Structures are given as structure tokens and as C-alpha cells.
Amino acid sequence: MDSVLASDSGVYLRQTVRTAVKLLVVGHFAVGKTTFVGSLSEIKPLRTEETMTQAGALVDDLAGIKDKTTTTVAMDFGRLTLSDSLVLYLFGAPGQQRFTRLWQDMTRGALGALVLADTRRLEQSFDVMGLLEEHGLPYAVAVNHFDGAPAHSEAEIREALDLLPETPLVTCDARDRVSSTQALISLVQYLHARTTQEPV
């Protein structure tokens, strides 16, 4: 039987990779985290989605998202090779309050997070941003596009989310690879700028 070389399969890491970077993709329930990770991952993303049950309806707010039938119960995981020596790991964290204990482990080793937000439910982003601040994790915010969602100016969204002036705020469509890439770039540029500004 012939074996497939790792470099040919696209599944395994290149032998030249020396550095791995971990970033989180976070946000409230049903904001598009699974879709975002899936649109960027070069490998088939690991998903831990389960069918939503009637019991979940008692704790998960389905207002405005009546067509949602599944939810992430642990995490999403994707990979993106940036160069011969650098690979990026994306971890999507579930947004419901009952999964916050998972954050203890998921934030370890992460350089930062991209917070996905929905203009129909901006207030639900506060708990997520609060957790990131609690863990000392820098973040950027990407407003995910949803059909029929109200449009607001950047200034209005910044004020509604009480963002610091230096916190990046962009818009994206989690379904689109190019759009998702641009959102991720905004986070990476922010993290790089913070690193170069920190005193040695």
C-alpha cells in the first residue's frame, strides 16, 4: 500500500513549521463563530455541534434566530498555515454562559481573541468581552453581517460596546473567506502593535 506524504495531503503540518500561534474566535450564542472558523481553516475544521433540544430553549435565547438547529457544545478548531515556519490555530469558544468554565483552559497560551458581534444583539457581547478582560486577553471586534440586521455607524457601535479607542472594530461576513481573513488581520495587526509598543 502506498503512503501519502504529509506535504501532499494538506492535513499534516509541514516539517518546516517551528512556531504555532493560538487565537480565539469568541462571541455570544449564534453569532457565527463556527462559520467563521470553517471559512478560514485549511483543514476540515473540528466541530462539536449538537442538535438543539427543547431543554436548551429554556436557556438559549433564540429571539431572531429561529432557524438555528445546532449549537457548539465544546469548541471549534481550525488551522491556517501562514508561512513555511508559522502556523495559526483558531479555537472557537461557545458563547453561552454555561460554558464559561471552558474559557479557563481555552485562554491558556492564546495571544488574543476576535470577538464576533451582531448588531441585533450587541448587548449580548458584554459578557464575552468581560471574560476576555478578566483573563487579560487583548481583542478586536468584528461585526458579522446578517441579512436584515440594522446598520449603525462605527461611532455608534463603539459607543454601544464601550470600546477603547485603540480596540479595532471592523465588519465582516463570516461566510466569506476574504472578509474573514481581513477581520483576522485586524486582530493580528493590533496584537503586533501592542507587542512592539510594550517596554522591554
Side-chain angles (χ1 to χ4, degrees), residues 58-80:
L58 300 175
V59 290
D60 295 330
D61 183 8
L62 296 175
I65 46 171
K66 60 181 189 312
D67 294 332
K68 186 168 178 62
T69 59
T70 61
T71 187
T72 300
V73 294
M75 68 173 186
D76 299 304
F77 172 78
R79 188 188 79 200
L80 189 59

Side-chain angles (χ1 to χ4, degrees), residues 58-135:
L58 300 175
V59 290
D60 295 330
D61 183 8
L62 296 175
I65 46 171
K66 60 181 189 312
D67 294 332
K68 186 168 178 62
T69 59
T70 61
T71 187
T72 300
V73 294
M75 68 173 186
D76 299 304
F77 172 78
R79 188 188 79 200
L80 189 59
T81 301
L82 302 180
S83 72
D84 287 339
S85 60
L86 178 63
V87 67
L88 174 65
Y89 292 124
L90 295 173
F91 287 80
Q96 295 98 312
Q97 195 71 30
R98 64 183 181 276
F99 293 117
T100 53
R101 296 184 88 184
L102 282 173
W103 286 61
Q104 295 280 341
D105 292 326
M106 293 191 74
T107 56
R108 287 194 185 107
L111 294 185
L114 184 68
V115 179
L116 294 186
D118 179 350
T119 57
R120 299 170 300 179
R121 299 175 290 148
L122 283 176
E123 71 285 351
Q124 293 184 22
S125 298
F126 285 116
D127 287 343
V128 173
M129 293 188 301
L131 280 169
L132 292 173
E133 291 166 4
E134 201 175 295
H135 287 89

Side-chain angles (χ1 to χ4, degrees), residues 35-56:
T35 302
F36 186 93
V37 172
S39 72
L40 284 176
S41 182
E42 66 193 15
I43 58 172
K44 183 178 180 181
L46 168 68
R47 292 180 172 155
T48 56
E49 286 196 302
E50 293 293 337
T51 301
M52 296 181 67
T53 64
Q54 193 60 39

